[in-house]
Amino acid sequence: MASRMVYFFGGGKAEGNAKMKELLGGKGANLAEMANLGVPVPPGFTITTEVCTHYYQNKKTHMKGLKEKVQQAIQKVEKLMGKKFGDSENPLLFSVRSGARKSMPGMMETVLNVGLNQKTIPGLVKQSGGDERFVYDAYRRLIMMYSDVVMEKAAGIEPKDDEGIRKQLEKIMDQLKKQKGCKSDTDLTAEDLKNLCTSFKAKIKEVLHKDFPDDPNEQLWGGINAVFSSWNGKRAVSYRRIEGIPDEWGTAVNVQTMVFGNMGNNSATGVAFTRNPGNGENNFYGEYLINAQGEDVVAGIRTPAPINQYSKSEHNKELVALEKAMPKPYKELFAIQNRLEKHYHDMQDIEFTIENGRLFMLQCRIGKRNGPAAVRMAMDMLKEKLIKKEEAVMRVTPSQLDELLHPIIDPMAEKAQKPIARGLPAGPGGACGQIVYNAVDAVEWAKQGKMVILVREETNPEDVEGMRAAKGILTARGGMTSHAALVARGWGKCCIVGCSALEVDLGKKEVHIAGKVLKEGDWLTLNGTKGVVYQGQLPMIDATRNELLHGFLKVCDSLRKLGIRTNADTPEDAEKARQFGAEGIGLFRTEHMFYGIGSDEPLFILRKMILSSTLEERKNAIAELYPYVKKDIKATISAMDGLPVVIRLLDPPLHEFVPRDRARLEALAKDLNISMEELEKRAVNLHESNPMMGHRGVRLGITYPEITEMQIRAIFESSAELLKEGKKPYPEIMVPVVCCSWELEDQFAIAKRIYKEVLAKYNLKKIKHMFGTMIEVPRAAIVADKLAEFAEFFSFGTNDLTQMSFGFSRDDIGGFLPDYIRKGILPGDPFQSIDQVGLGELIKMGIQRGRKTRKNLEVGICGEHGGEPKSIEFCHRVGMDYVSCSPFRVPIARLAAAQAAVINK
Ligand code: ADP
Ligand code: MG
Ligand code: MG
């Protein structure tokens, strides 16, 4: 263990740097980096994540020697600042800030103004030139934060939403404001604040049965321990579950010299982004508050003002921009943000404070952004030569890309609609759902399959699970950097904040908007891109025409090695997938034409075929069926003109097609010219007790070669016709559910015979095609070398392969798989992401053995996994030629394949 425990920063240098996120957490590492860059950062020190981990493993005992190390670091800060912690003449105050490796917005707790007490208050008053108002404002903030973050938590109290100590203190403050006729907290006088502090302390004693600590060291260590403890707090744990952050990481603690944005009207605090996180535009964007401290901006207590002209919106355009109010510090801030972006090669999210006209940087980190912004920034930075192609494709996550493919409100329908309210556009796209008023209901309703819109006054970290479950989020308060906005942006969820026309009554579960009363369960539609709210249910459409998106995907294409195909069962699907960039069809399920809507005729004939008992009956039915099958196959091959189309021979167990209703059965009996008793007997004979492992796939072709014959003929004759029409058909004929090579030999013999017949009939020399097999039975992977003697391509059908390798019935996993995942027995659902440990070995072996026999064997995947990024990365690593996924996933697969190529370079 590298037990340095404490890393110092300040005075133009630091012991840490940006690369040390694991040890110093994101905040600490970046504070160190900024200090090293010579950016003005108030000095302080970081206690490492190791100390946090130790603290938990060893039942809340500190690491040996920590107190001394902290003491030494404090002395260093004191020297640099010429102030002393706890000193009555010239006191030094600290903030105690958490900071995990990855930013967890609002999850962990921060305490400001630590070190203020009866002894140091007069000293700070003197320091500030006699500004008592400022000092008591700082003190009342310390009391509010400390009682909430440290004392209440230490007492083990978990109050409900609006019953916590903080809420109770806020109530006292609101009362005082009302009594004094103040609009804003800044209108309270020094005397008011002094009285407030006294009332606060009395309330704390009453509720928590403890005195507010007056000893600076007790305050400091209380704060440090609270940060450590908050790592295991309920909200932090639930956020980690959702984001997949390991519990072992731990958080660091940053202890930093306080600078004061609340020292009067020449002071301010703010949050900004080096580019607009909402749309990606290359413009400095942010909000600030004059005479305010810390979280006032994020909390939405006052409406923040724009930092510049560009940041003005409907809501804040009346307020004075920072560039106007404080031109000098703004200029400095502008230069620093520029420098930081160039240094980090990415958009930065920064926190700053101006104390009496002097600028300090308090945080910088890679800024969260929504999908459209991520794509725009990646493309812009590529053009600006700030990043390379490889970096550009890594800048957009598959789920961010997904946002660009996500539904928006049908513009036509939207035009005809009058908004009932407007707010800030905090998360893009459209959402439509039923109103719920708290996170628990949101989760509950979503579980029942309902679409919900979570409506809140403002959100807080306790709401994250509900926010996750909701289709959209709507809040009455808060700005673009409020909790709701940050979280929604991180997830790319449709979200509108600061919708001040809302009057939410959480108790009654209703909301008043523009004279209307909406109740729980009423429908709302949100346009998160514009920040507009509509009553009722508006139709949604998907947004695929996007030039920027297509440009970005072309960059992806230039890097990826994997081909991208699609699973398409209709010519329409094929067409759509082609627009999305599919390079062929990886799976065309012939039986799908019988499920389709439209004419019942093909299904009727198929049923006749199935219920035939003699070869002659069956051949008649097949002859009748033939034109339908050919038409369908031809249309699909034609839509993919020039690209390969993998056509799978009939796969499902036949009894799936047997009708259940009497009228249909009678019609069949009549057509087949048999009695009902006879028909029923035949239907019963088709019944299997385990159909998924029954008479299906290639087994059908083995017992009824005439069925294989018919399909092969349809494939080659339609190809021949297309050739004559000047097209370039390329069918790949695939046999399903194969387990041994003789099955293939049997079927390909038929195929080859038909191929020759068709060539002769159409007077052709050649039709480009391939014969291949699906690998979806574990035995097939094992005997892959034998299969490859006949098969020219493999396609891994990982749905069935997963099912049969685990012995988990796909249709019955609901009963036990959730428990497996909850208990950590399996890391995740193997039907969603390939089980690389087990199934992965089987696939690797199959590919190796197959290619040993046939060097140029084409290998792809056609299960659901083909559109899942982690599985795609796996497919890249094991050397597949392509993945195939549903048309809508094609763009995501293009991105994931490019990322796989970059990661494995
Ligand atoms: P979070 O991780 O929730 O962003 P932070 O540790 O960044 O929490 O702190 C919350 C707020 O307190 C921020 O607005 C930050 O600017 C402010 N703050 C933190 N430390 C100081 C400090 N030393 N001086 C002044 N303000 C501070
Ligand atoms: Mg912060
Ligand atoms: Mg299958």
Side-chain angles (χ1 to χ4, degrees):
M1 198 188 271
S3 30
R4 264 300 286 275
M5 293 191 272
V6 174
Y7 285 72
F8 184 79
F9 58 85
K13 54 182 191 293
E15 292 169 345
N17 61 52
K19 293 202 181 77
M20 296 166 69
K21 290 206 174 69
E22 289 183 17
L23 196 60
L24 303 181
K27 201 176 286 164
N30 283 330
L31 282 169
E33 187 85 0
M34 283 198 289
N36 281 327
L37 282 171
V39 166
V41 173
F45 53 91
T46 303
I47 307 175
T48 64
T49 53
E50 269 177 12
V51 177
C52 177
T53 314
H54 173 96
Y55 190 69
Y56 272 96
Q57 282 165 356
N58 297 283
K59 304 212 174 63
K60 306 204 178 183
T61 58
H62 290 120
M63 279 166 90
K64 214 169 139 249
L66 179 67
K67 292 244 147 114
E68 292 70 34
K69 289 269 164 64
V70 167
Q71 205 43 49
Q72 286 162 14
I74 291 175
Q75 281 164 8
K76 240 168 144 174
V77 179
E78 288 174 339
K79 221 166 140 200
L80 214 77
M81 296 301 296
K83 298 178 185 178
K84 267 192 148 60
F85 185 58
D87 191 56
S88 60
E89 284 302 302
N90 200 9
L92 176 69
L93 301 190
F94 285 127
S95 67
V96 178
R97 319 172 65 188
S98 67
R101 258 193 241 185
K102 250 170 102 177
S103 86
M104 295 165 63
M107 288 291 114
M108 314 296 287
E109 310 287 357
T110 297
V111 186
L112 303 180
N113 310 324
V114 170
L116 263 186
N117 65 357
Q118 293 317 315
K119 202 171 128 200
T120 56
I121 283 174
L124 190 66
V125 172
K126 213 158 80 194
Q127 251 183 48
S128 63
D131 191 349
E132 271 210 319
R133 192 205 167 274
F134 149 68
V135 177
Y136 281 96
D137 182 52
Y139 194 43
R140 68 98 185 157
R141 287 169 189 274
L142 169 66
I143 300 173
M144 285 175 109
M145 285 186 250
Y146 196 89
S147 59
D148 170 24
V149 171
V150 182
M151 297 179 76
E152 188 170 76
K153 298 267 155 44
I157 302 171
E158 280 191 18
K160 283 211 210 90
D161 236 12
D162 44 1
E163 286 161 20
I165 185 72
R166 182 146 192 165
K167 271 274 166 356
Q168 298 193 41
L169 300 188
E170 275 170 11
K171 262 184 215 153
I172 297 177
M173 189 162 148
D174 284 344
Q175 259 163 20
L176 183 68
K177 268 160 66 181
K178 227 183 233 163
Q179 199 184 321
K180 293 269 166 178
C182 306
K183 268 212 194 101
S184 158
D185 58 298
T186 49
D187 299 334
L188 292 169
T189 65
E191 212 41 48
D192 294 337
L193 291 165
K194 210 185 260 181
N195 292 333
L196 204 54
C197 291
T198 313
S199 325
F200 278 2
K201 284 184 181 171
K203 190 78 193 177
I204 290 169
K205 177 84 187 185
E206 178 199 320
V207 177
L208 301 175
H209 313 295
K210 266 188 118 179
D211 284 317
F212 184 80
D214 201 51
D215 175 2
N217 274 306
E218 187 184 340
Q219 290 177 5
L220 179 65
W221 284 99
I224 292 172
N225 291 339
V227 172
F228 285 157
S229 301
S230 72
W231 178 255
N232 271 10
K234 228 167 91 186
R235 2 155 141 173
V237 170
S238 101
Y239 188 85
R240 285 204 293 276
R241 293 287 171 279
I242 293 170
E243 294 287 311
I245 296 173
D247 288 341
E248 311 81 70
W249 280 8
T251 178
V253 183
N254 300 289
V255 177
Q256 187 176 25
T257 303
M258 277 305 300
V259 288
F260 302 101
N262 56 338
M263 246 190 200
N265 288 338
N266 203 16
S267 300
T269 184
V271 178
F273 302 87
T274 59
R275 296 182 192 218
N276 187 336
N279 61 20
E281 282 173 1
N282 187 4
N283 277 308
F284 189 34
Y285 180 88
E287 301 171 328
Y288 83 108
L289 277 176
I290 284 191
N291 198 7
Q293 207 177 20
E295 299 195 307
D296 292 359
V297 180
V298 181
I301 287 168
R302 282 180 259 153
T303 303
I307 54 164
N308 52 20
Q309 185 66 30
Y310 176 77
S311 307
K312 287 199 171 174
S313 72
E314 274 306 304
H315 286 256
N316 61 19
K317 62 179 183 220
E318 312 299 336
L319 302 168
V320 185
L322 183 68
E323 63 183 341
K324 278 255 171 65
M326 304 181 189
K328 220 181 117 243
Y330 176 81
K331 233 175 114 186
E332 209 183 324
L333 178 65
F334 188 85
I336 289 175
Q337 63 90 19
N338 228 332
R339 212 172 136 207
L340 288 174
E341 192 182 272
K342 291 238 158 65
H343 180 74
Y344 283 99
H345 300 272
D346 201 354
M347 187 266 272
Q348 297 295 300
D349 166 346
I350 57 185
E351 286 174 10
F352 64 92
T353 283
I354 297 166
E355 177 183 309
N356 262 324
R358 206 172 143 200
L359 175 71
F360 293 93
M361 303 304 293
L362 288 172
Q363 191 172 337
C364 80
R365 62 181 167 206
I366 296 194
K368 295 210 165 160
R369 62 207 74 181
N370 60 32
V375 172
R376 158 150 284 158
M377 284 182 204
M379 291 303 279
D380 283 352
M381 289 186 192
L382 184 63
K383 254 187 242 138
E384 294 158 27
K385 295 206 161 64
L386 203 58
I387 54 174
K388 295 208 168 65
K389 274 206 288 197
E390 286 78 0
E391 269 175 281
V393 305
M394 295 307 293
R395 284 289 165 84
V396 180
T397 65
S399 59
Q400 280 174 327
L401 191 72
D402 203 28
E403 281 172 48
L404 275 79
L405 312 167
H406 265 169
I408 56 169
I409 306 172
D410 178 348
M412 294 311 284
E414 191 173 2
K415 236 186 207 165
Q417 205 72 21
K418 233 182 115 207
I420 52 166
R422 285 171 193 276
L424 296 172
C432 180
Q434 293 174 277
I435 301 177
V436 292
Y437 289 99
N438 64 58
V440 177
D441 289 345
V443 171
E444 209 32 62
W445 288 41
K447 259 197 205 141
Q448 295 165 20
K450 292 183 183 155
M451 302 193 297
V452 300
I453 303 285
L454 179 62
V455 176
R456 302 284 288 163
E457 185 78 7
E458 62 196 316
T459 65
N460 62 48
E462 269 113 32
D463 295 330
V464 285
E465 279 171 290
M467 296 166 77
R468 184 79 172 181
K471 289 275 169 210
I473 300 155
L474 175 63
T475 74
R477 288 201 274 162
M480 286 295 274
T481 49
S482 65
H483 176 264
L486 283 177
V487 172
R489 196 145 57 230
W491 290 337
K493 183 152 295 207
C494 174
C495 174
I496 298 173
V497 298
C499 185
S500 45
L502 298 189
E503 270 178 60
V504 188
D505 189 331
L506 291 179
K508 279 201 197 146
K509 294 198 173 176
E510 58 184 43
V511 60
H512 299 242
I513 318 175
K516 292 186 170 75
V517 182
L518 299 181
K519 300 221 179 298
E520 181 179 51
D522 285 349
W523 287 84
L524 273 187
T525 302
L526 310 182
N527 180 336
T529 313
K530 288 201 226 149
V532 183
V533 183
Y534 302 97
Q535 191 175 5
Q537 219 177 336
L538 298 191
M540 302 283 170
I541 57 165
D542 51 54
T544 50
R545 301 261 121 238
N546 178 336
E547 283 316 308
L548 204 65
L549 172 68
H550 291 297
F552 176 73
L553 289 171
K554 284 219 179 81
V555 176
C556 293
D557 292 345
S558 74
L559 292 171
R560 68 180 161 87
K561 300 278 188 293
L562 276 172
I564 310 293
R565 296 192 190 178
T566 190
N567 299 351
D569 300 319
T570 61
E572 297 77 51
D573 269 5
E575 202 57 64
K576 185 163 180 198
R578 211 176 168 155
Q579 281 163 18
F580 276 131
E583 298 159 319
I585 289 180
L587 179 63
F588 173 72
R589 288 168 280 217
T590 34
E591 61 271 14
H592 225 83
M593 60 179 287
F594 304 112
Y595 304 130
I597 25 177
S599 158
D600 254 1
E601 194 62 19
L603 181 57
F604 183 78
I605 307 168
L606 178 80
R607 285 170 171 162
K608 257 166 69 181
M609 179 186 92
I610 289 167
L611 291 164
S612 299
S613 70
T614 65
L615 183 61
E616 203 191 313
E617 270 177 12
R618 193 157 42 247
K619 279 200 162 157
N620 286 339
I622 284 172
E624 262 187 86
L625 197 56
Y626 181 72
Y628 293 103
V629 174
K630 189 174 121 191
K631 187 169 156 242
D632 197 47
I633 288 177
K634 187 175 170 182
T636 303
I637 299 181
S638 174
M640 279 285 147
D641 187 25
L643 300 174
V645 176
V646 173
I647 300 164
R648 182 177 71 184
L649 301 182
L650 202 61
D651 183 37
L654 293 184
H655 84 105
E656 265 189 21
F657 295 103
V658 176
R660 285 177 226 297
D661 60 306
R662 185 132 190 116
R664 287 215 162 85
L665 285 168
E666 272 168 1
L668 274 171
K670 194 162 159 240
D671 206 87
L672 282 166
N673 206 7
I674 54 173
S675 68
M676 266 305 268
E677 292 77 60
E678 172 64 15
L679 188 86
E680 270 162 358
K681 209 173 82 198
R682 291 181 190 183
V684 167
N685 275 343
L686 281 170
H687 177 82
E688 294 174 318
S689 45
N690 203 347
M692 289 315 282
M693 294 207 254
H695 200 172
R696 58 173 289 215
V698 65
R699 297 155 209 173
L700 294 171
I702 300 284
T703 35
Y704 310 117
E706 54 282 3
I707 297 180
T708 303
E709 206 171 287
M710 179 270 289
Q711 295 179 83
I712 303 280
R713 195 181 302 282
I715 293 168
F716 283 129
E717 290 209 345
S718 52
S719 299
E721 286 175 17
L722 286 167
L723 271 175
K724 298 269 175 195
E725 292 163 25
K727 300 217 164 167
K728 293 199 195 80
Y730 185 13
E732 297 186 22
I733 297 155
M734 178 162 80
V735 186
V737 207
V738 167
C739 67
C740 75
S741 61
W742 312 122
E743 289 168 329
L744 286 179
E745 190 186 32
D746 178 275
Q747 295 292 293
F748 291 162
I750 299 171
K752 281 182 182 144
R753 175 165 53 78
I754 304 294
Y755 178 58
K756 277 195 196 124
E757 282 177 29
V758 174
L759 287 184
K761 178 174 169 191
Y762 286 82
N763 197 14
L764 288 166
K765 283 210 175 58
K766 190 184 157 192
I767 298 169
K768 189 174 169 187
H769 71 278
M770 268 207 256
F771 292 124
T773 181
M774 220 158 152
I775 307 280
E776 55 186 335
V777 176
R779 191 181 191 280
I782 296 168
V783 299
D785 49 342
K786 303 272 192 322
L787 298 183
E789 285 171 20
F790 301 97
E792 295 161 292
F793 70 88
F794 284 177
S795 177
F796 283 88
T798 47
N799 297 343
D800 268 315
L801 197 57
T802 300
Q803 169 163 274
M804 296 202 224
S805 304
F806 277 92
F808 287 173
S809 158
R810 244 196 293 170
D811 306 311
D812 304 310
I813 46 174
F816 55 89
L817 199 60
D819 294 330
Y820 270 62
I821 293 163
R822 188 175 49 78
K823 290 191 169 177
I825 289 170
L826 283 178
D829 179 351
F831 290 97
Q832 263 168 30
S833 191
I834 286 182
D835 156 47
Q836 298 188 17
V837 180
L839 199 74
E841 285 304 304
L842 206 54
I843 293 173
K844 266 195 253 175
M845 186 179 73
I847 297 175
Q848 270 166 14
R849 293 191 176 177
R851 289 207 173 127
K852 215 164 80 196
T853 304
R854 191 185 289 269
K855 236 170 83 196
N856 59 351
L857 182 79
E858 179 186 271
V859 180
I861 181 175
C862 63
E864 299 291 317
H865 301 103
E868 191 271 327
K870 270 197 256 154
S871 307
I872 293 173
E873 206 252 332
F874 169 81
C875 294
H876 171 93
R877 261 191 287 122
V878 298
M880 286 196 191
D881 296 295
Y882 68 86
V883 296
S884 187
C885 57
S886 64
F888 206 61
R889 300 292 295 178
V890 166
I892 288 161
R894 286 163 78 187
L895 170 62
Q899 294 187 334
V902 172
I903 293 165
N904 292 289
K905 209 160 201 170

